[in-house]
């Protein structure tokens, strides 16, 4: 179950907070609707529950706050807004990537695709999905880890009646299997037909907390919709006949030609109009929305009787309410309420849905679905698991005047970062296109440089003219590295809300490893393709193996890998792909001249004789001539480009570590 206690957002500059002391419960095995008009604070309340927004309050998910659950995605499935996925990624690729992030097998992706009816669209790109299919994919992503709780913010917004019926059936089926479902909506009719419990918000406060049946009786009122050119005359006649028959009838004049008659039927209204010769253009039974009822949040509002003084006329009979009256109904769609709670056939076929019974404890947290009676602020993080007899014998604790502050916690994912990064990088054509462009551009440049001459062989094979700060292969590696974290912030599939990407060193290590492997493969392909093309066009004179090929190859690989790492770190720190690529280009253009100026002068020394000094550090000689590789690495570091790259990588890594550690310290 869910227990939200004292949810309060931070005060705005002008006006009250968007959410003020919101408390409610959503029980397991039930569907709970958080109802309110636009601006009532529904989304803010959900974000406070999920610790996505700072404020005050606490939310228990089966007895534990979210930050105390080891794997939150296995306890709470979330759908906020559209699916945050790359538009070029396939539906199956998106779910398989999320499987690696949540630590479940890839077979689970096919199960939830069958459950939500997207098997036929598994190879479809996310950018081509309709609104309804996007909602189904979002629900599939929320169900991947088989969570006990579903929290959905406006899941039916923009859907057709048929798609809403399917969604409500899916949520009902999930609740019947023992899960807890909480969704937000601004349509009271949807809340009445799809939920078991309705919590109404208005102005950031809870104005009603009712069962669905009580909610429908007190807020959704049956009425007769009438349209006539003589609406004012008909309203007076209906009120007069109701007074004469001593019946409680309320007539609301909505505009010049429309009436809403409460407490009567179409037959009675039609007979009255016929007897007095009044032309009627429309006569239909509808369900009207009486609006949020003021008063205590936990007490359902009783309908006003005919003798109630709040009626305004204090007597029996009819009542004509002019436009703008207190009980004017606001029916947005004027559609009949239909029973759409039948579960979808496709949804019930999911085999993984029934693996979590209603009363089973959580495997990750060990918490049961027992409700927490009340919230008592504690100074420690111990879980309240004491016996009830001991609790009753204690003195009543002193409640804090304010609920505890809500701290924004980063998402604890992915569980398998290397598998996730591989699926992320290979699931879209961006990486393949970048590598292909780097190969083609390098081949053309190498042919052009060989034609004009005066280019050293190492630069010729690497397609690196003196006019370019970096060769195409290094720029391509830097661009792929910038995409590694830039796409995370642009399409944050890891976060449960847009813009939230976990800053974890495991994820950084995986991205650096995949970026280095991609850079090595691309740089090797560039050298091989350039050598083969030069040999084919100009013969074998330009493709002879140089004597120092080993140190040249090491320098080439280190340069390309360093550019890839600079792109990864810069895009992670600055949260932008453009910033990552700019940092890569800034190394030879800005940082290298600064390093050269710093190294100019009589204090510059060379690394000459370094192999002999390195071999003298140990009593035995290094195996396989390792001192030569060490000397080549040191020579490259003392060069301006190598020193600039090392300086940039060190600064970016330190900045990333600081930004990853800072939220925990705060």
């Amino acid at each position: 179950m869910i227990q939200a206690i004292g949810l309060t957002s931070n005060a705005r500059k002008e006006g009250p907070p968007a959410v003020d002391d919101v408390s409610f419960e959503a029980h397991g095995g039930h569907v709970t609707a958080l109802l309110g008009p636009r601006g009532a604070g529904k989304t803010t309340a959900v974000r406070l529950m999920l610790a996505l927004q700072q404020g005050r309050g606490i939310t228990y998910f089966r007895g534990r706050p979210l930050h105390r659950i080891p794997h939150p995605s296995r306890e709470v499935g979330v759908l906020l807004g559209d699916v945050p996925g790359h538009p070029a990624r396939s539906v199956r690729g998106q779910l398989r990537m999320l499987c690696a992030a949540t630590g479940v097998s890839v077979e689970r992706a096919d199960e939830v695709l069958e459950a939500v009816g997207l098997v036929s669209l598994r190879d479809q790109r996310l950018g081509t999905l309709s609104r309804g299919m996007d909602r189904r994919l979002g629900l599939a992503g929320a169900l991947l880890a088989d969570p006990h709780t579903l929290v959905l913010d406006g899941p039916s917004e923009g859907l057709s009646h048929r798609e809403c019926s399917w969604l409500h059936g899916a949520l009902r089926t999930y609740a019947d299997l023992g899960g807890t479902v909480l969704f937000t909506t601004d349509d009271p009719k949807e809340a009445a037909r799809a939920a078991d419990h309705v919590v109404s918000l208005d102005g950031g406060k809870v104005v009603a907390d009712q069962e669905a049946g009580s909610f429908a009786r007190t807020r959704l009122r049956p009425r007769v919709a009438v349209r006539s050119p003589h609406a004012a005359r008909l309203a007076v006649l209906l009120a007069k006949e109701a007074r004469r028959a001593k019946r409680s009838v309320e007539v609301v004049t909505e505009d010049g030609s429309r009436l809403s008659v409460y407490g009567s039927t179409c037959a009675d209204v039609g007979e009255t109009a016929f007897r007095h010769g009044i032309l009627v253009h429309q006569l239909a039974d509808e369900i009207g929305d009486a609006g949020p009822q003021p008063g205590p949040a936990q007490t359902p509002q009783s309908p006003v009787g005919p003798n109630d003084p709040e009626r305004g006329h204090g007597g029996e009979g009819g009542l004509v309410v002019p436009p703008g009256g207190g009980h004017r109904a606001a029916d947005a769609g004027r559609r009949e309420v239909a029973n759409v709670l039948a579960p979808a056939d496709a949804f019930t076929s999911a085999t993984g849905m029934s693996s979590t019974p209603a009363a089973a404890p959580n495997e990750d947290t060990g918490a049961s679905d027992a409700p927490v009676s009340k919230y008592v602020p504690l100074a420690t993080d111990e879980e309240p698991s004491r016996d009830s007899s001991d609790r009753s014998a204690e003195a009543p604790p002193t409640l804090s005047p304010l609920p505890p502050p809500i701290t924004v916690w980063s998402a604890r994912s992915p569980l398998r970062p290397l598998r996730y990064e591989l699926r992320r990088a290979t699931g879209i054509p961006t990486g393949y296109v970048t590598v292909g462009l780097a190969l083609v551009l390098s081949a053309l440049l190498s042919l052009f440089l060989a034609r004009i001459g005066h280019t050293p062989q190492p630069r010729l094979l690497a397609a690196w003219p003196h006019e370019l700060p970096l060769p195409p292969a290094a720029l391509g590696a830097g661009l792929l590295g910038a995409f590694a974290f830039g796409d995370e912030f642009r399409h944050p599939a890891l976060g449960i809300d847009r813009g939230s990407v976990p800053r974890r060193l495991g994820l950084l290590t995986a991205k650096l490893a995949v970026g280095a492997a991609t850079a090595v493969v691309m740089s090797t392909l560039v050298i091989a393709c350039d050598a083969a093309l030069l040999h084919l066009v100009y013969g074998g004179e330009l493709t002879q193996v140089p004597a120092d090929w080993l140190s040249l190859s090491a320098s080439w690989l280190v340069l390309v890998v360093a550019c890839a790492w600079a792109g990864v770190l810069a895009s992670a720190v600055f949260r932008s792909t453009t910033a990552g690529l700019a940092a890569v280009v800034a190394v030879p253009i800005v940082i290298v001249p600064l390093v050269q100026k710093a190294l100019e002068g009589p204090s510059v020394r060379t690394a000459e004789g370094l192999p002999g000094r390195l071999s003298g550090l140990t009593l035995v000689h290094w195996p396989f001539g390792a001192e030569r590789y060490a000397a080549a690495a040191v020579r490259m570091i003392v060069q301006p480009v190598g020193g600039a790259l090392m300086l940039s990588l060190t600064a970016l890594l330190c900045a990333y570590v600081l930004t990853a550690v800072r939220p925990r310290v705060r």
Side-chain angles (χ1 to χ4, degrees):
M1 66 177 298
I2 303 174
Q3 282 187 310
I5 304 173
L7 298 179
T8 304
S9 61
N10 293 333
R12 294 172 290 188
K13 293 182 178 179
E14 297 180 359
V19 171
D20 187 9
D21 196 18
V22 170
S23 301
F24 62 89
E25 292 184 357
H27 296 275
H30 294 79
V31 179
T32 303
L34 196 60
L35 174 67
R38 293 184 181 273
K42 304 185 300 295
T43 301
T44 304
V46 170
R47 291 176 61 84
L48 290 173
M49 290 171 54
L50 300 173
L52 297 175
Q53 182 173 332
Q54 292 184 354
R56 286 194 171 273
I58 191 168
T59 303
Y60 289 106
F61 296 90
R62 291 203 289 174
R64 304 188 76 180
L66 194 64
H67 67 274
R68 300 293 295 173
I69 300 176
H71 304 303
S73 59
R74 297 182 179 180
E75 175 65 26
V76 185
V78 179
L79 175 60
L80 303 178
D82 298 334
V83 176
H86 197 286
R89 198 180 305 277
S90 65
V91 171
R92 176 189 280 179
Q94 172 78 4
L95 292 181
R96 288 191 172 186
M97 182 183 69
L98 294 179
C99 285
T102 55
V104 298
S105 61
V106 293
E107 289 77 11
R108 179 64 178 168
D110 297 328
E111 293 178 4
V112 296
L113 280 177
E114 184 179 358
V116 300
L118 288 180
V119 176
S120 59
L121 300 179
R122 57 191 174 187
D123 296 327
Q124 198 81 6
R125 302 298 177 184
L126 299 186
T128 62
L129 294 181
S130 64
R131 178 70 176 179
M133 298 300 104
D134 184 85
R135 296 288 88 187
R136 296 194 181 208
L137 179 59
L139 183 60
L143 295 174
L144 267 182
D146 196 13
H148 184 272
T149 302
L150 288 180
V151 178
L152 315 175
D153 185 23
S156 61
E157 184 178 354
L159 300 185
S160 64
H161 179 75
R162 181 179 180 182
E163 292 168 340
C164 288
S165 301
W166 176 91
L167 177 65
H168 298 156
L171 299 182
R172 172 60 54 192
T173 304
Y174 192 82
D176 291 341
L177 294 174
T180 304
V181 179
L182 174 68
F183 73 95
T184 66
T185 180
D186 55 3
D187 186 2
K189 299 178 185 178
E190 179 187 7
R193 66 174 177 255
D196 303 311
H197 197 86
V198 181
V199 180
S200 300
L201 296 182
D202 189 29
K205 295 180 179 292
V206 177
V207 296
D209 193 343
Q210 306 165 286
E211 297 295 331
S214 176
F215 170 80
R217 288 193 304 269
T218 58
R219 178 160 178 178
L220 296 182
R221 306 168 61 194
R223 69 181 182 184
V224 178
V226 184
R227 179 174 295 178
S228 170
H230 309 287
R233 180 187 172 197
L234 180 60
V236 174
L237 292 173
L238 290 174
K240 184 183 299 185
E241 290 190 357
R243 250 189 330 268
R244 185 182 306 117
K246 296 183 179 181
R247 292 187 294 110
S248 176
V249 175
E250 179 183 354
V251 182
V252 178
T253 305
E254 298 197 0
D255 56 29
S257 61
R258 295 174 59 182
L259 298 177
S260 292
V261 184
Y262 297 92
S264 185
T265 63
C266 285
D268 294 339
V269 175
E271 289 178 1
T272 301
F274 177 77
R275 285 196 305 268
H276 295 85
I278 297 177
L279 178 64
V280 175
H281 293 162
Q282 179 189 11
L283 191 63
D285 288 322
E286 291 185 350
I287 298 294
D289 178 17
Q293 301 292 329
Q298 303 297 330
T299 304
Q301 298 293 324
S302 300
V304 180
N307 297 324
D308 198 311
E310 292 184 5
R311 285 287 186 174
H313 290 275
E316 297 180 351
L319 172 65
V320 179
V321 180
H327 293 279
R328 178 175 181 179
D331 186 7
R334 290 186 175 271
R335 295 172 298 181
E336 296 182 358
V337 175
N339 182 14
V340 295
L341 298 183
D345 295 336
F347 190 84
T348 57
S349 63
T351 59
M353 303 302 295
S354 59
S355 60
T356 306
N362 191 355
E363 296 179 359
D364 297 326
T365 64
S368 64
D369 201 13
V372 180
S373 60
K374 59 184 177 179
Y375 164 68
V376 180
L378 298 176
T380 62
D381 291 335
E382 293 183 1
E383 185 177 353
S385 59
R386 295 169 293 181
D387 187 67
S388 59
S389 61
D390 297 338
R391 189 182 300 120
S392 61
E394 295 178 355
T398 302
L399 296 179
S400 174
L402 290 176
I406 297 176
T407 303
V408 178
W409 299 86
S410 60
R412 299 183 180 183
S413 57
L415 296 180
R416 292 172 174 83
L418 187 58
R419 183 186 302 178
Y420 163 81
E421 180 60 22
L422 287 173
R423 293 192 178 278
R424 186 208 63 79
T426 58
I428 55 177
T430 303
Y432 305 105
V433 172
T434 303
V435 173
L437 289 177
L439 291 177
V440 172
L441 188 57
S442 298
L444 295 178
L445 276 177
S446 62
L447 289 178
F448 179 74
L449 293 176
R451 179 179 179 83
I452 63 176
H454 309 291
T455 302
Q457 187 186 21
R459 283 184 167 265
L460 185 62
L461 293 176
W464 190 0
H466 291 281
E467 292 77 14
L468 289 180
L470 288 174
L475 290 174
L479 182 59
L480 289 178
F483 279 133
F485 256 117
D487 284 346
E488 296 287 4
F489 294 103
R490 188 177 180 184
H491 310 288
L494 284 183
I496 54 179
D497 183 50
R498 290 188 179 276
S500 60
V501 177
R503 290 181 176 272
R504 302 185 64 84
L505 295 181
L507 180 62
L508 174 65
T509 304
K511 291 186 180 296
L512 291 179
V514 173
T518 306
V520 168
V521 171
M522 183 172 59
S523 60
T524 304
L525 288 177
V526 166
I527 295 297
C529 292
D530 291 349
L533 191 60
L534 289 174
H535 181 79
L536 179 64
V537 176
Y538 297 106
E541 180 182 358
L542 299 177
T543 58
Q544 295 179 356
V545 179
D548 55 345
W549 66 273
L550 189 59
S551 61
L552 290 175
S553 301
S555 302
W556 169 246
L557 293 178
V558 169
L559 173 66
V560 179
V561 171
C563 289
W565 284 1
V568 171
L569 292 172
S571 61
V573 172
F574 300 107
R575 298 172 175 257
S576 171
T577 301
T578 306
L581 184 60
V584 174
V585 179
V587 170
I589 296 179
V590 178
I591 302 179
V592 169
L594 296 178
V595 173
Q596 287 178 340
K597 288 185 178 180
L599 295 179
E600 288 179 354
S603 61
V604 176
R605 297 291 184 269
T606 62
E608 201 171 340
L610 181 62
R613 293 192 293 273
L614 290 176
S615 60
L617 294 177
T618 58
L619 298 178
V620 296
H621 291 284
W622 290 18
F624 306 107
E627 67 274 6
R628 291 183 299 171
Y629 306 117
V634 173
R635 288 194 188 97
M636 188 176 58
I637 291 176
V638 299
Q639 291 177 358
V641 175
L645 281 174
M646 291 297 296
L647 181 63
S648 300
L649 291 177
T650 303
L652 291 173
L653 182 59
C654 292
Y656 182 87
V657 171
L658 287 176
T659 54
V661 174
R662 183 182 58 184
R664 298 184 182 181
V665 175
R666 183 178 56 189

